[in-house]
Amino acid sequence: MPTRKLYYEDAYLKEARAKVLEVRDNALLLDQTIFYPTGGGQPHDRGTIGGVEVLDVYKDDEGNVWHVVKEPEKFRPGQEVELKIDWDYRYKLMRIHSALHLLEHVLNVVLPGKWELYGSGMSAEKGRYDILYPENVNRWKQEIIETFNRLVDEGGEMKIWWEGETRYTQIRDFEIIPCGGTHVRDIREIGHLKKFKRSSLGKGKQRLEIWLKD
């Protein structure tokens, strides 16, 4: 069985206990984990396992989550360990990731005609969408910001469910988006936009970046 992914059962879990199943080079395989692995544009979680710093988290082809640690010699199979994530860092990622989903809806509402997403990225500081759209998005900048902030103030549940191997998310009754990341429970938690920046990447290609207020 693949690693039990506790971050999908409760994205707000900050600590948990787990058993070491295997130590391979500098990476640990656990029976369960609260550490989100890099994927879907979301960076891996930071934190400690048994008080040892976690340097990287990744998922293999079988769906197992591996934890690269600073001092792998401190671990052995069968050992019970305590997991602690850097919650401030994770929560920033959850807010940014959720904000990008909300931005997708806002762009659909505000921009005339069709736009196309062809790239995205995020960090704990900001989120990014690279889109194809013929007009300069700055023409609608203020309306995008005001609509985003209004929807945040209204709030709304971020629903999450599985259909087979695919995980879906939906804010209120907005667009249904397949996504494997971690999200806030209610979009009020996202907070208002602090900054919205548009830059050109060439003809019809634009980069939209957002920063959130603390």
Side-chain angles (χ1 to χ4, degrees), residues 131-211:
I131 71 169
L132 299 174
Y133 189 68
E135 308 258 3
N136 188 328
V137 172
N138 271 340
R139 287 178 56 186
W140 296 276
K141 178 177 179 178
Q142 197 56 39
E143 188 178 353
I144 289 170
I145 293 171
E146 289 174 358
T147 303
F148 185 101
N149 291 343
R150 173 177 57 79
L151 290 172
V152 164
D153 288 342
E154 291 175 3
E157 180 189 3
M158 289 202 71
K159 299 182 284 286
I160 299 171
W161 71 95
W162 291 84
E163 294 182 15
E165 296 296 308
T166 306
R167 185 171 179 264
Y168 292 93
T169 66
Q170 183 183 31
I171 298 170
R172 284 163 46 172
D173 60 348
F174 302 161
E175 300 80 4
I176 295 173
I177 301 172
C179 182
T182 57
H183 306 91
V184 297
R185 293 190 182 112
D186 190 291
I187 60 171
R188 285 188 186 89
E189 297 175 56
I190 293 171
H192 284 185
L193 286 181
K194 179 170 68 175
K195 182 180 177 183
F196 176 93
K197 179 184 176 184
R198 176 266 180 197
S199 53
S200 175
L201 299 176
K203 187 174 176 60
K205 296 180 178 180
Q206 305 178 60
R207 172 161 292 175
L208 310 180
E209 295 173 290
I210 56 171
W211 290 258

Side-chain angles (χ1 to χ4, degrees), residues 58-103:
Y58 64 90
K59 190 164 63 173
D60 66 19
D61 294 339
E62 284 73 49
N64 288 307
V65 178
W66 291 84
H67 310 74
V68 178
V69 292
K70 196 170 186 178
E71 301 169 278
E73 67 276 3
K74 291 190 172 183
F75 301 92
R76 65 187 185 280
Q79 183 178 355
E80 294 278 342
V81 290
E82 187 175 19
L83 318 180
K84 292 183 178 182
I85 61 169
D86 179 338
W87 174 247
D88 288 343
Y89 179 74
R90 155 72 83 78
Y91 193 55
K92 286 177 182 177
L93 291 172
M94 286 167 60
R95 290 174 61 218
I96 285 285
H97 203 146
S98 304
L100 287 172
H101 285 261
L102 182 58
L103 178 64

